[in-house]
Amino acid sequence: MTEEEWNDGTPKVFKKTVSWIDRMLDSQESANVLIILLIVLSILPLLGIGILLTRAANPVPPVEIRN
């Protein structure tokens, strides 16, 4: 299979995504922004998992309702 045939089979969404990533990584400032964004996005699930684990270890006692 030639390189032209391989490129013709590539989806347009993939081509646009790769070109957007290449443009973002061209400059140092935008690359730094992407790195910070990835770090923040990786920390958020860890915080959520930590909250869920600590709530499971220390459940809230049931509240009695008196009339």
Side-chain angles (χ1 to χ4, degrees), residues 23-35:
R23 282 190 312 229
M24 288 297 287
L25 293 176
D26 280 343
S27 69
Q28 186 71 29
E29 292 84 16
S30 59
N32 288 340
V33 169
L34 285 177
I35 291 170

Side-chain angles (χ1 to χ4, degrees), residues 38-55:
L38 287 174
I39 290 171
V40 168
L41 288 176
S42 65
I43 289 173
L44 289 176
L46 294 175
L47 288 175
I49 291 170
I51 290 170
L52 290 175
L53 289 176
T54 55
R55 289 194 69 176

